[in-house]
Amino acid sequence: MEYILSDGNVKHFVVGGKANNLFRLIGIGMNVPKFAVIPQEVLFALVPEEIRNSDHKKIIAFVEQIDISKNSIDELLLNFPESSYFAVRSSAIDEDGSEFSFAGQFESHLFVTKDNIAEKIKSVWCSAFSERVSEYRKTNSIEAKFGIAVIIQVMVDAEVAGVGFGINPVSGNPREKLISSVYGLGEGLVSGELNSDNFILS
């Protein structure tokens, strides 16, 4: 199974918005937890054309029975010898873009063990064909694209985490940055289960 490491070259692959942004953060010197990306081309190659052109239920059924070999996972994880837990994250072509974020539409999984990575990769793949993603595209008049890339990233057991906005999403002021943070993982914030501390930076 083909993948690109966080210090690799993604020029000839489709890795999606989230992965592209991770590579950009590395490019400006940010401390990004080590990751690998399974590009969109992998899923495209695994699904025959007649299935790709069928309805979403048939695509999901086919993806669920794909066999990701233990050898493939073991080879990938050789790049993370000191890690026991991983985040398996979605990275769609139009995710985290300038127009639409697709926030909460695709599956992502935290604290995934080595034994569960293959299952979680397929879960992210299947989420690209879910009804909620189809409705999101339809509501926002976004053209459907086949497949999704998957990020396998070292899991950080964060003391504090959150979301940063490049402009203030409440006032629309482009000169203000909003940071919403919570104790623990950011999942509590994005799921709406926790109230955040908010900081506005001019």
Side-chain angles (χ1 to χ4, degrees):
M1 183 169 60
E2 199 158 17
Y3 57 87
I4 306 109
L5 293 174
S6 48
D7 57 358
N9 185 353
V10 296
K11 186 180 291 185
H12 303 296
F13 297 95
V14 177
V15 297
K18 193 176 291 175
N20 268 322
N21 286 334
L22 290 176
F23 283 112
R24 290 175 66 194
L25 287 171
I26 289 173
I28 61 172
M30 299 295 286
N31 183 15
V32 177
K34 191 173 182 182
F35 64 91
V37 185
I38 302 169
Q40 181 181 323
E41 288 87 347
V42 170
L43 180 59
F44 191 88
L46 287 170
V47 180
E49 185 177 359
E50 64 270 20
I51 300 293
R52 293 199 303 267
N53 293 329
S54 61
D55 64 67
H56 285 182
K57 287 184 180 178
K58 288 183 180 176
I59 296 172
I60 290 171
F62 184 89
V63 171
E64 286 176 338
Q65 59 80 46
I66 290 174
D67 179 32
I68 301 176
S69 72
K70 181 178 181 298
N71 287 344
S72 295
I73 298 299
D74 287 345
E75 179 192 327
L76 187 153
L77 294 184
L78 286 174
N79 299 288
F80 308 94
E82 298 176 5
S83 303
S84 301
Y85 296 100
F86 301 87
V88 180
R89 312 175 66 194
S90 65
S91 186
I93 304 172
D94 32 22
E95 189 176 11
D96 289 356
S98 58
E99 298 293 327
F100 301 99
S101 70
F102 280 82
Q105 300 300 311
F106 303 106
E107 293 295 335
S108 284
H109 303 278
L110 305 179
F111 285 104
V112 178
T113 63
K114 170 184 173 180
D115 295 336
N116 294 326
I117 283 183
E119 172 195 336
K120 300 307 182 188
I121 290 170
K122 293 198 292 183
S123 170
V124 174
W125 280 344
C126 287
S127 71
F129 309 102
S130 68
E131 285 187 23
R132 71 185 180 202
V133 169
S134 296
E135 284 301 314
Y136 186 90
R137 291 187 184 280
K138 191 182 300 181
T139 300
N140 293 289
S141 301
I142 304 169
E143 181 185 354
K145 298 180 174 70
F146 185 89
I148 192 169
V150 182
I151 302 164
I152 293 91
Q153 188 166 25
V154 171
M155 185 70 218
V156 174
D157 191 8
E159 293 181 14
V160 177
V163 177
F165 297 89
I167 67 171
N168 188 329
V170 179
S171 67
N173 186 343
R175 298 179 63 84
E176 292 181 344
K177 317 298 181 190
L178 173 65
I179 298 171
S180 297
S181 63
V182 294
Y183 288 107
L185 298 176
E187 182 68 17
L189 172 64
V190 297
S191 67
E193 293 180 12
L194 297 177
N195 293 322
S196 64
D197 292 315
N198 295 313
F199 304 89
I200 296 175
L201 309 176
S202 295

